[in-house]
Amino acid sequence: MFESEVKPDDGLVNLKRRAFLVTSASAVAGLAVWSLRKPRLAQATASKEAPQEVTIVQFSDAGERLRTVHVPKVVKTEDQWRRQLPAGVFDITRHADTEIAYTGKYWNLHDQGVYRCICCDNALFSSETKFDSGTGWPSFWAPIAPENVRSTTDTSYGMARTAVSCTECDAHLGHVFDDGPEPTRLRYCMNSASLRFVAHKTA
Ligand SMILES: [Zn+2]
C-alpha cells in the first residue's frame, strides 16, 4: 500500500498524500531519535544494577575441590584492566589476541599444579588433564570444572571456532577443538598469558 502511494510514475499529487508523507517522515525521524536514545538508557540502567552472579567451583592451590559458589561476576572497565595487566596479557585476555606458539610460559611445563585465571584467580585447569599437543600452546583435555569456563562461537578470521573464556571475569583464554585425546577427545588450546600456574607444594 505504501509503495503504490509513493510510486514515482503516479502523477496524482494531492494534499492528502502530502500530509501522509509528512506524517511518515516525522514518524521515521521520531523512531531514529528513539533508537539513538535507547542504548544510552539501557547502559544507564545496566550500570545501576548489581553485577550478574555466576556459579563457579573453588579449588585450593593443592588442586583440592572445595565448594560450588555463586559470586558476582568480576566487571572492570578497559582502563582498569589495562592498569592491572601487562600490555600483551591485556590484548589476549580482554581482546581475544593469541600469543605466538612456543613463546608462552607454559606450553612445555609438566609440573603438578593448578592453572588460574591471570585476571581474577578463578581456577581453570589442572596439570592432571594437561597433555603435550605439539602445538606450542598449553593444552588440556578438560577444564578443572565445567562451571569455571565458558564456550562461545567465534567466527573471526573466517573460521568457525569455539572460544573459551573465564566464567568469573570473561577473560579470553583460547579455543577448544575436538581433536584431543581420550577420555573427552577435546583439546583446550590455551594462551599461557591468560593463565597463572600455582605449583602443588611438596611436603
Ligand atoms: Zn577470570
Side-chain angles (χ1 to χ4, degrees), residues 117 120 166 169:
C117 176
C120 76
C166 170
C169 78

Side-chain angles (χ1 to χ4, degrees), residues 85 88-97 118-119 170-172 193-194:
L85 305 165
V89 175
F90 172 81
D91 290 342
I92 290 168
T93 56
R94 310 320 310 182
H95 291 286
D97 199 1
I118 193 78
C119 295
D170 280 341
H172 173 74
S194 302

Side-chain angles (χ1 to χ4, degrees), residues 151-170:
S151 300
T152 49
T153 303
D154 173 10
T155 54
S156 61
Y157 303 104
M159 293 179 275
R161 295 182 295 172
T162 304
V164 179
S165 57
C166 170
T167 301
E168 196 172 343
C169 78
D170 280 341

Side-chain angles (χ1 to χ4, degrees), residues 44-119:
T45 313
S47 64
K48 280 179 199 162
E49 283 172 9
Q52 185 195 339
E53 280 224 335
V54 289
T55 302
I56 56 158
V57 183
Q58 292 181 325
F59 287 80
S60 72
D61 283 347
E64 185 192 356
R65 190 184 172 108
L66 299 175
R67 64 190 78 83
T68 302
V69 292
H70 305 288
V71 292
K73 196 163 187 167
V74 175
V75 179
K76 295 185 183 181
T77 64
E78 285 276 295
D79 278 352
Q80 286 171 322
W81 286 123
R82 206 186 292 274
R83 280 197 293 273
Q84 179 182 327
L85 305 165
V89 175
F90 172 81
D91 290 342
I92 290 168
T93 56
R94 310 320 310 182
H95 291 286
D97 199 1
T98 300
E99 71 193 11
I100 297 167
Y102 300 102
T103 63
K105 283 190 283 186
Y106 301 137
W107 69 271
N108 201 25
L109 183 73
H110 298 100
D111 295 354
Q112 298 299 299
V114 175
Y115 293 83
R116 294 187 179 277
C117 176
I118 193 78
C119 295

Side-chain angles (χ1 to χ4, degrees), residues 116-201:
R116 294 187 179 277
C117 176
I118 193 78
C119 295
C120 76
D121 237 26
N122 182 23
L124 300 171
F125 295 96
S126 162
S127 55
E128 285 173 26
T129 63
K130 195 169 188 287
F131 69 98
D132 194 356
S133 63
T135 59
W137 289 287
S139 304
F140 306 83
W141 50 259
I144 199 162
E147 294 89 339
N148 292 14
V149 299
R150 285 225 167 118
S151 300
T152 49
T153 303
D154 173 10
T155 54
S156 61
Y157 303 104
M159 293 179 275
R161 295 182 295 172
T162 304
V164 179
S165 57
C166 170
T167 301
E168 196 172 343
C169 78
D170 280 341
H172 173 74
L173 307 173
H175 292 90
V176 62
F177 303 93
D178 59 5
D179 56 6
E182 296 288 353
T184 62
R185 298 191 180 179
L186 295 173
R187 172 171 59 94
Y188 284 82
C189 184
M190 301 291 103
N191 290 286
S192 298
S194 302
L195 308 172
R196 182 175 73 84
F197 178 71
V198 184
H200 291 342
K201 288 186 181 73

